[in-house]
Amino acid sequence: MATLFTGIKQLLTFAGDAVPRAGEAMREIGLVKNAEVLVENGLIEAAGPRSVVSRHRLAKKARKVEVNGICLPGFVDSHTHAVFAEPRLKDFSMRAAGASYQEIKAAGGGILSSIGAVRRQSRRAMAEQLAARAAGFLACGTTTAEVKSGYGLSLESELKMLRAVREAQKLTPLEMLPTLLAAHSVPPEFSGDAAKYLAYVTAEILPKAAAEKLAVFADIFCEKGYFTPEQTTAYLKEAASLGLKPKVHSEQLSNYGGTRAGIAAGVLSADHADHVYAQDITAMREAGTIATLLPASNYYLGLTKYPPARELIAAGVPVALATDLNPGTCPCWNMQFVLSAACTHCGMTPEEAFCAATVNGAWALGIGDRVGSVVPGLQADLAFYKADDYRELCYYFGASQCSMTVKKGKIVHGGR
Amino acid sequence: MATLFTGIKQLLTFAGDAVPRAGEAMREIGLVKNAEVLVENGLIEAAGPRSVVSRHRLAKKARKVEVNGICLPGFVDSHTHAVFAEPRLKDFSMRAAGASYQEIKAAGGGILSSIGAVRRQSRRAMAEQLAARAAGFLACGTTTAEVKSGYGLSLESELKMLRAVREAQKLTPLEMLPTLLAAHSVPPEFSGDAAKYLAYVTAEILPKAAAEKLAVFADIFCEKGYFTPEQTTAYLKEAASLGLKPKVHSEQLSNYGGTRAGIAAGVLSADHADHVYAQDITAMREAGTIATLLPASNYYLGLTKYPPARELIAAGVPVALATDLNPGTCPCWNMQFVLSAACTHCGMTPEEAFCAATVNGAWALGIGDRVGSVVPGLQADLAFYKADDYRELCYYFGASQCSMTVKKGKIVHGGR
């Protein structure tokens, strides 16, 4: 039976003349007031003004869900490290008390503590924990999330992380797209030899992950002291040849060349972009590469510099926003906070921020023809908020305003 | 019948040898693991280790509520402007698009838009809107909030705001303490003549608010272009003589002398403190004045400077934290975000932040002998969170982790 979501004060469809395409810059929001959305078989059957949708042949007999708020496509969070065994509370306390990163590291903190915890955790426990976190995403209006490995850094533990994502997928309606991020950092066993570790990843981890179809994407951290631009291009090309779509962590801590190295391998998105220069921006525009900005991590790190959203948008680069949920630099899973940070600290308008968190997030995962906008024929992934005006979601901050979330046509959060 | 909250992984009591006192600096958190809280007649009957509380004579027959999380005293949010007719969405969009404060003001935005909207709104609509906002506070673990007037700036509209708080109190279990903030700004009718407006407030508004017992506190914005330190002291002394406890907005935008001007009139707290100097800190310590910090507003304004919590704490000044919820500089009602901002941007430890948001917030309202800690005989105002460790509430940010809120012994949010 069809379901009719009615009483929607404002609906943002992001539907232009056609389904949005990858590589488009920022799209019009497609605001409809006094709207309805009709859903059948998990897909959007019709969406638009009440006067139009209510005349649809399926509308009369449809189950009616009264909304009294606003409706958006479910957020597509295209960059998360949502599998991590433990929050880094000790590091957090040390940092609040004034400890430096070096002191925290010397006390056994930082990524090393996450590596240890992930290696110790069972796959089952990992999957259950991820499913519990997924409930937090759904409660905040996110219906699709990318999830990276990258805290195992050994064949066994990297595959365990990816298998845990697959296992968790059976426990939660949140749609998760797994990414192999074995090239996140060089583990202690390789004592700083990045080339040797990357050769191991390429020979051992990448082919197994590809053969078992455990990941949709391959990602690498291109940064001084981690992996070089040359290593980045070669590794991502190898990953692409095995069917994993390339992604890159680039220009996060410095301008190091990761963006262009990623583009040379055909990345869907270049993520972070805090320190992009003009030549990186030009390269992204020319390649149609999406710049995925993660401003919640800048907030958490207490940085005063935020990613240069205005320069990117002015140049015509498609910008996506994501949480970067991770235990070290961004313990946040609410995309509404990311909207706030983008408008408050990156100079993005609410309209740009919403587009970046939905359509462009979907295209950063290559699935914008399936999710990320409210267009007939697309998946019925919707989120509803207690608000009168969509801008309230960027304006109020620090708590979720989401009252109901719908995934593939089913109510998976709230709704009573 | 008594109620026993059981299965508490961690309880923070803030109970030392005795009920905390006003003017104490930062208090120990009083961490109890595997705890229970026994409540009867709206008061805390017993709180502590399960092994002790479960032997209490009332425990066996008590209604049991299984918690599986952590328990804190309800947050006491001691500084809010929660009565405002409309969010300032137009200003927000203009600012995100790069407009200056002057341009926003020229377009009819800023405090003038709030004054217009508040003057137009009916008291009934105002009360209902406030009650709806109160539900948001309760959902985030806040059980007591101060609420200021200050967007009416005329006899009629200031009293309307305070009467709306009184009316809203009948609609929500959130305990609200009203503050007269007629001295918030100089309204257009007085064309910049602060002295003339303050004389009007003193002659017309203050006595009526006092006579009708509409406010517990009187507050004033001491800042260049608003009210001088001399006016601040004189006005607050007059307010105190009429039974309204004095408070002050001081050193928010510059070091202007408001803190010491307030102390000369016996303020309970000096709020904002972004630009306090050594002499202000010394004066606060000597007077036992609470410094109420509002770091969420710094986040929203995109400031890089945050209030100097470390200097204040090092000097022995009692520090409180509050949201500053208001439409212009802080659209945030979740004290958990304030904890995050305090730890992430002000160098406060989680333990200091919790103390500042509970006990010290209560003393900033003069009611620390009734709420703000989990001590037998005090009001049973409790909040429960889905977490294993209390530090998670400061560490994760952007969403609420509160699963249940209890006011005067009654479950007023969640709990299913």
mmCIF file of all heavy atoms in Angstrom, chain A residues 87-88 93 96 299-300 327 331 334 337 340-341 344-345 347-348 391 395-398, chain B residues 87-88 93 96 299-300 327 331-332 334 337 340-341 344-345 347-348 391 395-398:
data_model
loop_
_atom_site.group_PDB
_atom_site.id
_atom_site.type_symbol
_atom_site.label_atom_id
_atom_site.label_comp_id
_atom_site.label_asym_id
_atom_site.label_seq_id
_atom_site.Cartn_x
_atom_site.Cartn_y
_atom_site.Cartn_z
ATOM 1 N N PRO A 87 35.539 5.275 22.326
ATOM 2 C CA PRO A 87 35.772 6.718 22.285
ATOM 3 C C PRO A 87 37.121 7.021 22.937
ATOM 4 O O PRO A 87 37.553 6.283 23.825
ATOM 5 C CB PRO A 87 34.611 7.289 23.117
ATOM 6 C CG PRO A 87 34.166 6.174 24.002
ATOM 7 C CD PRO A 87 34.456 4.904 23.259
ATOM 8 N N ARG A 88 37.797 8.072 22.494
ATOM 9 C CA ARG A 88 39.108 8.384 23.089
ATOM 10 C C ARG A 88 38.934 9.381 24.233
ATOM 11 O O ARG A 88 39.305 10.554 24.127
ATOM 12 C CB ARG A 88 40.046 8.948 22.014
ATOM 13 C CG ARG A 88 40.486 7.890 21.023
ATOM 14 C CD ARG A 88 41.670 8.374 20.199
ATOM 15 N NE ARG A 88 41.709 7.695 18.911
ATOM 16 C CZ ARG A 88 42.157 8.242 17.776
ATOM 17 N NH1 ARG A 88 42.623 9.484 17.789
ATOM 18 N NH2 ARG A 88 42.146 7.578 16.656
ATOM 19 N N SER A 93 40.296 14.123 27.819
ATOM 20 C CA SER A 93 40.565 14.744 29.123
ATOM 21 C C SER A 93 41.952 15.373 29.156
ATOM 22 O O SER A 93 42.130 16.475 29.675
ATOM 23 C CB SER A 93 40.457 13.708 30.244
ATOM 24 O OG SER A 93 39.110 13.416 30.508
ATOM 25 N N ALA A 96 41.885 18.571 27.108
ATOM 26 C CA ALA A 96 41.176 19.644 27.805
ATOM 27 C C ALA A 96 42.052 20.219 28.910
ATOM 28 O O ALA A 96 42.028 21.417 29.187
ATOM 29 C CB ALA A 96 39.854 19.127 28.369
ATOM 30 N N TYR A 299 35.811 22.345 14.194
ATOM 31 C CA TYR A 299 35.260 22.790 15.485
ATOM 32 C C TYR A 299 35.885 22.002 16.635
ATOM 33 O O TYR A 299 36.368 22.565 17.614
ATOM 34 C CB TYR A 299 33.728 22.616 15.516
ATOM 35 C CG TYR A 299 33.209 22.575 16.932
ATOM 36 C CD1 TYR A 299 33.059 23.745 17.671
ATOM 37 C CD2 TYR A 299 32.949 21.361 17.568
ATOM 38 C CE1 TYR A 299 32.647 23.708 18.997
ATOM 39 C CE2 TYR A 299 32.540 21.316 18.891
ATOM 40 C CZ TYR A 299 32.393 22.490 19.605
ATOM 41 O OH TYR A 299 32.015 22.449 20.924
ATOM 42 N N TYR A 300 35.878 20.668 16.496
ATOM 43 C CA TYR A 300 36.332 19.819 17.600
ATOM 44 C C TYR A 300 37.812 20.026 17.891
ATOM 45 O O TYR A 300 38.249 19.952 19.040
ATOM 46 C CB TYR A 300 36.068 18.353 17.265
ATOM 47 C CG TYR A 300 36.470 17.394 18.364
ATOM 48 C CD1 TYR A 300 35.665 17.232 19.484
ATOM 49 C CD2 TYR A 300 37.647 16.670 18.285
ATOM 50 C CE1 TYR A 300 36.023 16.355 20.491
ATOM 51 C CE2 TYR A 300 38.017 15.792 19.293
ATOM 52 C CZ TYR A 300 37.205 15.635 20.392
ATOM 53 O OH TYR A 300 37.566 14.780 21.394
ATOM 54 N N PRO A 327 36.822 8.813 16.293
ATOM 55 C CA PRO A 327 37.081 9.004 17.726
ATOM 56 C C PRO A 327 38.165 10.027 18.054
ATOM 57 O O PRO A 327 38.260 10.468 19.191
ATOM 58 C CB PRO A 327 37.512 7.609 18.181
ATOM 59 C CG PRO A 327 38.129 6.999 16.965
ATOM 60 C CD PRO A 327 37.324 7.525 15.804
ATOM 61 N N PRO A 331 33.985 13.447 17.111
ATOM 62 C CA PRO A 331 32.954 12.570 17.672
ATOM 63 C C PRO A 331 31.556 13.168 17.473
ATOM 64 O O PRO A 331 30.899 13.595 18.430
ATOM 65 C CB PRO A 331 33.327 12.469 19.151
ATOM 66 C CG PRO A 331 34.629 13.214 19.308
ATOM 67 C CD PRO A 331 34.733 14.145 18.144
ATOM 68 N N ASN A 334 25.808 13.949 13.799
ATOM 69 C CA ASN A 334 24.607 14.699 13.409
ATOM 70 C C ASN A 334 24.912 15.672 12.271
ATOM 71 O O ASN A 334 25.584 16.681 12.473
ATOM 72 C CB ASN A 334 24.053 15.449 14.629
ATOM 73 C CG ASN A 334 22.751 16.166 14.308
ATOM 74 O OD1 ASN A 334 22.243 16.107 13.185
ATOM 75 N ND2 ASN A 334 22.201 16.849 15.299
ATOM 76 N N PHE A 337 24.493 19.441 12.715
ATOM 77 C CA PHE A 337 25.590 20.250 13.250
ATOM 78 C C PHE A 337 26.548 20.655 12.137
ATOM 79 O O PHE A 337 27.090 21.757 12.127
ATOM 80 C CB PHE A 337 26.351 19.534 14.379
ATOM 81 C CG PHE A 337 27.422 20.434 14.935
ATOM 82 C CD1 PHE A 337 27.090 21.457 15.815
ATOM 83 C CD2 PHE A 337 28.739 20.338 14.512
ATOM 84 C CE1 PHE A 337 28.042 22.342 16.280
ATOM 85 C CE2 PHE A 337 29.705 21.229 14.968
ATOM 86 C CZ PHE A 337 29.357 22.225 15.858
ATOM 87 N N SER A 340 25.253 23.614 10.469
ATOM 88 C CA SER A 340 25.526 24.804 11.286
ATOM 89 C C SER A 340 26.959 25.280 11.100
ATOM 90 O O SER A 340 27.218 26.461 10.839
ATOM 91 C CB SER A 340 25.260 24.493 12.763
ATOM 92 O OG SER A 340 25.880 25.454 13.602
ATOM 93 N N ALA A 341 27.897 24.357 11.210
ATOM 94 C CA ALA A 341 29.311 24.739 11.093
ATOM 95 C C ALA A 341 29.610 25.295 9.701
ATOM 96 O O ALA A 341 30.381 26.250 9.552
ATOM 97 C CB ALA A 341 30.204 23.537 11.397
ATOM 98 N N THR A 344 28.022 28.796 9.651
ATOM 99 C CA THR A 344 28.562 29.706 10.657
ATOM 100 C C THR A 344 30.044 29.962 10.458
ATOM 101 O O THR A 344 30.531 31.052 10.734
ATOM 102 C CB THR A 344 28.266 29.110 12.053
ATOM 103 O OG1 THR A 344 26.860 28.975 12.180
ATOM 104 C CG2 THR A 344 28.798 29.977 13.161
ATOM 105 N N HIS A 345 30.770 28.965 9.983
ATOM 106 C CA HIS A 345 32.225 29.096 9.896
ATOM 107 C C HIS A 345 32.806 29.020 8.494
ATOM 108 O O HIS A 345 33.973 29.342 8.307
ATOM 109 C CB HIS A 345 32.899 28.030 10.772
ATOM 110 C CG HIS A 345 32.806 28.337 12.234
ATOM 111 N ND1 HIS A 345 31.695 28.042 12.984
ATOM 112 C CD2 HIS A 345 33.672 28.948 13.089
ATOM 113 C CE1 HIS A 345 31.890 28.443 14.234
ATOM 114 N NE2 HIS A 345 33.077 28.987 14.327
ATOM 115 N N GLY A 347 30.976 30.183 5.667
ATOM 116 C CA GLY A 347 30.331 31.136 4.763
ATOM 117 C C GLY A 347 29.408 30.500 3.741
ATOM 118 O O GLY A 347 29.078 31.105 2.724
ATOM 119 N N MET A 348 28.957 29.273 3.984
ATOM 120 C CA MET A 348 27.993 28.672 3.050
ATOM 121 C C MET A 348 26.597 29.184 3.380
ATOM 122 O O MET A 348 26.253 29.402 4.540
ATOM 123 C CB MET A 348 28.044 27.135 3.135
ATOM 124 C CG MET A 348 29.326 26.564 2.534
ATOM 125 S SD MET A 348 29.487 24.757 2.695
ATOM 126 C CE MET A 348 28.332 24.176 1.445
ATOM 127 N N ARG A 391 15.500 26.716 7.035
ATOM 128 C CA ARG A 391 16.743 27.321 7.525
ATOM 129 C C ARG A 391 16.955 27.106 9.018
ATOM 130 O O ARG A 391 18.071 27.238 9.531
ATOM 131 C CB ARG A 391 16.757 28.813 7.194
ATOM 132 C CG ARG A 391 16.818 29.075 5.687
ATOM 133 C CD ARG A 391 16.638 30.545 5.378
ATOM 134 N NE ARG A 391 15.318 31.015 5.785
ATOM 135 C CZ ARG A 391 14.892 32.261 5.635
ATOM 136 N NH1 ARG A 391 15.676 33.178 5.099
ATOM 137 N NH2 ARG A 391 13.684 32.602 6.035
ATOM 138 N N TYR A 395 20.328 26.936 11.557
ATOM 139 C CA TYR A 395 20.371 28.065 12.488
ATOM 140 C C TYR A 395 20.464 27.565 13.938
ATOM 141 O O TYR A 395 21.416 27.885 14.657
ATOM 142 C CB TYR A 395 19.110 28.893 12.238
ATOM 143 C CG TYR A 395 18.746 29.962 13.230
ATOM 144 C CD1 TYR A 395 19.383 31.195 13.222
ATOM 145 C CD2 TYR A 395 17.718 29.754 14.154
ATOM 146 C CE1 TYR A 395 19.005 32.191 14.120
ATOM 147 C CE2 TYR A 395 17.336 30.741 15.037
ATOM 148 C CZ TYR A 395 17.980 31.958 15.015
ATOM 149 O OH TYR A 395 17.607 32.930 15.899
ATOM 150 N N TYR A 396 19.503 26.779 14.363
ATOM 151 C CA TYR A 396 19.603 26.168 15.691
ATOM 152 C C TYR A 396 20.705 25.112 15.638
ATOM 153 O O TYR A 396 20.868 24.434 14.629
ATOM 154 C CB TYR A 396 18.278 25.512 16.094
ATOM 155 C CG TYR A 396 17.147 26.492 16.304
ATOM 156 C CD1 TYR A 396 16.055 26.540 15.442
ATOM 157 C CD2 TYR A 396 17.162 27.382 17.373
ATOM 158 C CE1 TYR A 396 15.011 27.429 15.640
ATOM 159 C CE2 TYR A 396 16.120 28.279 17.581
ATOM 160 C CZ TYR A 396 15.048 28.300 16.717
ATOM 161 O OH TYR A 396 14.018 29.187 16.919
ATOM 162 N N PHE A 397 21.458 24.960 16.700
ATOM 163 C CA PHE A 397 22.538 23.978 16.667
ATOM 164 C C PHE A 397 22.682 23.269 18.003
ATOM 165 O O PHE A 397 22.182 23.741 19.030
ATOM 166 C CB PHE A 397 23.870 24.643 16.271
ATOM 167 C CG PHE A 397 24.355 25.676 17.263
ATOM 168 C CD1 PHE A 397 25.253 25.336 18.275
ATOM 169 C CD2 PHE A 397 23.922 26.985 17.188
ATOM 170 C CE1 PHE A 397 25.694 26.281 19.191
ATOM 171 C CE2 PHE A 397 24.365 27.941 18.110
ATOM 172 C CZ PHE A 397 25.246 27.586 19.107
ATOM 173 N N GLY A 398 23.351 22.128 17.969
ATOM 174 C CA GLY A 398 23.681 21.423 19.210
ATOM 175 C C GLY A 398 22.715 20.324 19.581
ATOM 176 O O GLY A 398 22.981 19.557 20.500
ATOM 177 N N PRO B 87 12.776 33.172 15.257
ATOM 178 C CA PRO B 87 14.200 32.996 14.961
ATOM 179 C C PRO B 87 14.624 34.059 13.941
ATOM 180 O O PRO B 87 13.805 34.507 13.139
ATOM 181 C CB PRO B 87 14.271 31.595 14.352
ATOM 182 C CG PRO B 87 12.897 31.318 13.825
ATOM 183 C CD PRO B 87 11.952 32.078 14.717
ATOM 184 N N ARG B 88 15.889 34.476 13.987
ATOM 185 C CA ARG B 88 16.325 35.505 13.029
ATOM 186 C C ARG B 88 16.938 34.853 11.796
ATOM 187 O O ARG B 88 18.156 34.885 11.589
ATOM 188 C CB ARG B 88 17.332 36.445 13.698
ATOM 189 C CG ARG B 88 16.697 37.340 14.744
ATOM 190 C CD ARG B 88 17.619 38.489 15.117
ATOM 191 N NE ARG B 88 17.328 38.960 16.469
ATOM 192 C CZ ARG B 88 18.230 39.441 17.319
ATOM 193 N NH1 ARG B 88 19.506 39.527 16.951
ATOM 194 N NH2 ARG B 88 17.875 39.839 18.519
ATOM 195 N N SER B 93 20.804 34.104 7.152
ATOM 196 C CA SER B 93 21.122 33.922 5.728
ATOM 197 C C SER B 93 22.013 35.050 5.226
ATOM 198 O O SER B 93 22.969 34.809 4.480
ATOM 199 C CB SER B 93 19.835 33.892 4.900
ATOM 200 O OG SER B 93 19.194 32.657 5.044
ATOM 201 N N ALA B 96 25.529 34.485 6.563
ATOM 202 C CA ALA B 96 26.196 33.374 5.874
ATOM 203 C C ALA B 96 26.658 33.818 4.493
ATOM 204 O O ALA B 96 27.715 33.404 4.012
ATOM 205 C CB ALA B 96 25.255 32.176 5.771
ATOM 206 N N TYR B 299 30.918 30.194 19.620
ATOM 207 C CA TYR B 299 30.884 29.308 18.449
ATOM 208 C C TYR B 299 30.003 29.900 17.352
ATOM 209 O O TYR B 299 30.393 30.004 16.186
ATOM 210 C CB TYR B 299 30.357 27.910 18.836
ATOM 211 C CG TYR B 299 29.846 27.159 17.626
ATOM 212 C CD1 TYR B 299 30.730 26.555 16.743
ATOM 213 C CD2 TYR B 299 28.479 27.125 17.321
ATOM 214 C CE1 TYR B 299 30.281 25.924 15.596
ATOM 215 C CE2 TYR B 299 28.017 26.502 16.167
ATOM 216 C CZ TYR B 299 28.918 25.903 15.314
ATOM 217 O OH TYR B 299 28.467 25.299 14.166
ATOM 218 N N TYR B 300 28.791 30.295 17.734
ATOM 219 C CA TYR B 300 27.820 30.751 16.731
ATOM 220 C C TYR B 300 28.280 32.028 16.043
ATOM 221 O O TYR B 300 28.015 32.241 14.862
ATOM 222 C CB TYR B 300 26.459 30.967 17.405
ATOM 223 C CG TYR B 300 25.383 31.403 16.442
ATOM 224 C CD1 TYR B 300 24.756 30.481 15.603
ATOM 225 C CD2 TYR B 300 24.977 32.736 16.361
ATOM 226 C CE1 TYR B 300 23.770 30.875 14.721
ATOM 227 C CE2 TYR B 300 23.992 33.139 15.477
ATOM 228 C CZ TYR B 300 23.386 32.197 14.661
ATOM 229 O OH TYR B 300 22.406 32.591 13.781
ATOM 230 N N PRO B 327 17.906 34.561 19.957
ATOM 231 C CA PRO B 327 17.783 34.472 18.494
ATOM 232 C C PRO B 327 18.913 35.142 17.717
ATOM 233 O O PRO B 327 19.077 34.880 16.532
ATOM 234 C CB PRO B 327 16.461 35.189 18.215
ATOM 235 C CG PRO B 327 16.324 36.163 19.333
ATOM 236 C CD PRO B 327 16.926 35.480 20.538
ATOM 237 N N PRO B 331 21.418 30.419 19.015
ATOM 238 C CA PRO B 331 20.212 29.582 18.911
ATOM 239 C C PRO B 331 20.506 28.135 19.332
ATOM 240 O O PRO B 331 20.496 27.233 18.516
ATOM 241 C CB PRO B 331 19.841 29.669 17.429
ATOM 242 C CG PRO B 331 20.777 30.657 16.809
ATOM 243 C CD PRO B 331 21.970 30.730 17.703
ATOM 244 N N CYS B 332 20.729 27.929 20.613
ATOM 245 C CA CYS B 332 21.103 26.607 21.143
ATOM 246 C C CYS B 332 20.550 26.441 22.540
ATOM 247 O O CYS B 332 20.742 27.316 23.380
ATOM 248 C CB CYS B 332 22.629 26.491 21.185
ATOM 249 S SG CYS B 332 23.237 24.992 21.997
ATOM 250 N N ASN B 334 20.827 23.228 24.128
ATOM 251 C CA ASN B 334 21.350 21.961 24.661
ATOM 252 C C ASN B 334 22.629 22.194 25.473
ATOM 253 O O ASN B 334 23.686 22.491 24.920
ATOM 254 C CB ASN B 334 21.617 20.998 23.505
ATOM 255 C CG ASN B 334 22.082 19.627 23.997
ATOM 256 O OD1 ASN B 334 22.191 19.396 25.208
ATOM 257 N ND2 ASN B 334 22.354 18.726 23.074
ATOM 258 N N PHE B 337 25.959 20.644 24.428
ATOM 259 C CA PHE B 337 26.841 21.344 23.481
ATOM 260 C C PHE B 337 27.716 22.360 24.224
ATOM 261 O O PHE B 337 28.886 22.554 23.879
ATOM 262 C CB PHE B 337 26.064 22.046 22.362
ATOM 263 C CG PHE B 337 27.020 22.685 21.388
ATOM 264 C CD1 PHE B 337 27.668 21.926 20.437
ATOM 265 C CD2 PHE B 337 27.337 24.034 21.482
ATOM 266 C CE1 PHE B 337 28.606 22.492 19.583
ATOM 267 C CE2 PHE B 337 28.271 24.609 20.631
ATOM 268 C CZ PHE B 337 28.905 23.841 19.680
ATOM 269 N N SER B 340 30.637 20.633 25.570
ATOM 270 C CA SER B 340 31.612 20.388 24.498
ATOM 271 C C SER B 340 32.428 21.642 24.220
ATOM 272 O O SER B 340 33.664 21.600 24.157
ATOM 273 C CB SER B 340 30.872 19.946 23.218
ATOM 274 O OG SER B 340 31.697 20.084 22.080
ATOM 275 N N ALA B 341 31.744 22.758 24.051
ATOM 276 C CA ALA B 341 32.454 24.012 23.733
ATOM 277 C C ALA B 341 33.396 24.397 24.868
ATOM 278 O O ALA B 341 34.510 24.886 24.630
ATOM 279 C CB ALA B 341 31.451 25.128 23.460
ATOM 280 N N THR B 344 36.337 21.922 24.645
ATOM 281 C CA THR B 344 37.056 21.974 23.381
ATOM 282 C C THR B 344 37.691 23.335 23.134
ATOM 283 O O THR B 344 38.755 23.438 22.543
ATOM 284 C CB THR B 344 36.072 21.602 22.242
ATOM 285 O OG1 THR B 344 35.588 20.289 22.484
ATOM 286 C CG2 THR B 344 36.722 21.653 20.885
ATOM 287 N N HIS B 345 37.044 24.399 23.616
ATOM 288 C CA HIS B 345 37.520 25.751 23.299
ATOM 289 C C HIS B 345 37.938 26.591 24.502
ATOM 290 O O HIS B 345 38.548 27.637 24.324
ATOM 291 C CB HIS B 345 36.463 26.511 22.499
ATOM 292 C CG HIS B 345 36.363 26.046 21.074
ATOM 293 N ND1 HIS B 345 35.643 24.945 20.701
ATOM 294 C CD2 HIS B 345 36.920 26.519 19.924
ATOM 295 C CE1 HIS B 345 35.738 24.776 19.387
ATOM 296 N NE2 HIS B 345 36.505 25.699 18.898
ATOM 297 N N GLY B 347 39.331 25.099 27.423
ATOM 298 C CA GLY B 347 40.291 24.390 28.262
ATOM 299 C C GLY B 347 39.739 23.895 29.586
ATOM 300 O O GLY B 347 40.488 23.605 30.512
ATOM 301 N N MET B 348 38.423 23.780 29.714
ATOM 302 C CA MET B 348 37.872 23.216 30.943
ATOM 303 C C MET B 348 37.940 21.692 30.877
ATOM 304 O O MET B 348 37.767 21.094 29.819
ATOM 305 C CB MET B 348 36.419 23.681 31.147
ATOM 306 C CG MET B 348 36.332 25.159 31.494
ATOM 307 S SD MET B 348 34.636 25.801 31.643
ATOM 308 C CE MET B 348 34.147 25.105 33.249
ATOM 309 N N ARG B 391 32.149 11.250 30.686
ATOM 310 C CA ARG B 391 32.889 12.152 29.801
ATOM 311 C C ARG B 391 32.367 12.126 28.377
ATOM 312 O O ARG B 391 32.611 13.064 27.606
ATOM 313 C CB ARG B 391 34.386 11.804 29.838
ATOM 314 C CG ARG B 391 35.020 12.087 31.190
ATOM 315 C CD ARG B 391 36.436 11.557 31.254
ATOM 316 N NE ARG B 391 36.463 10.102 31.090
ATOM 317 C CZ ARG B 391 37.580 9.376 31.085
ATOM 318 N NH1 ARG B 391 38.754 9.970 31.227
ATOM 319 N NH2 ARG B 391 37.529 8.074 30.941
ATOM 320 N N TYR B 395 32.355 14.862 25.143
ATOM 321 C CA TYR B 395 33.188 14.399 24.018
ATOM 322 C C TYR B 395 32.380 14.351 22.719
ATOM 323 O O TYR B 395 32.721 15.016 21.744
ATOM 324 C CB TYR B 395 33.724 13.027 24.413
ATOM 325 C CG TYR B 395 34.394 12.197 23.356
ATOM 326 C CD1 TYR B 395 35.707 12.456 22.962
ATOM 327 C CD2 TYR B 395 33.734 11.112 22.789
ATOM 328 C CE1 TYR B 395 36.328 11.648 22.010
ATOM 329 C CE2 TYR B 395 34.353 10.304 21.845
ATOM 330 C CZ TYR B 395 35.647 10.574 21.458
ATOM 331 O OH TYR B 395 36.263 9.780 20.526
ATOM 332 N N TYR B 396 31.300 13.584 22.708
ATOM 333 C CA TYR B 396 30.418 13.598 21.545
ATOM 334 C C TYR B 396 29.691 14.940 21.529
ATOM 335 O O TYR B 396 29.357 15.484 22.580
ATOM 336 C CB TYR B 396 29.402 12.460 21.628
ATOM 337 C CG TYR B 396 30.009 11.070 21.518
ATOM 338 C CD1 TYR B 396 30.009 10.202 22.594
ATOM 339 C CD2 TYR B 396 30.579 10.643 20.329
ATOM 340 C CE1 TYR B 396 30.561 8.920 22.494
ATOM 341 C CE2 TYR B 396 31.136 9.370 20.219
ATOM 342 C CZ TYR B 396 31.121 8.521 21.300
ATOM 343 O OH TYR B 396 31.671 7.264 21.197
ATOM 344 N N PHE B 397 29.458 15.482 20.357
ATOM 345 C CA PHE B 397 28.785 16.777 20.300
ATOM 346 C C PHE B 397 27.814 16.850 19.127
ATOM 347 O O PHE B 397 27.890 16.043 18.198
ATOM 348 C CB PHE B 397 29.805 17.921 20.197
ATOM 349 C CG PHE B 397 30.637 17.897 18.946
ATOM 350 C CD1 PHE B 397 30.275 18.632 17.825
ATOM 351 C CD2 PHE B 397 31.784 17.128 18.880
ATOM 352 C CE1 PHE B 397 31.039 18.601 16.657
ATOM 353 C CE2 PHE B 397 32.551 17.080 17.707
ATOM 354 C CZ PHE B 397 32.182 17.831 16.602
ATOM 355 N N GLY B 398 26.915 17.798 19.213
ATOM 356 C CA GLY B 398 26.012 18.076 18.102
ATOM 357 C C GLY B 398 24.657 17.406 18.209
ATOM 358 O O GLY B 398 23.765 17.699 17.416
#
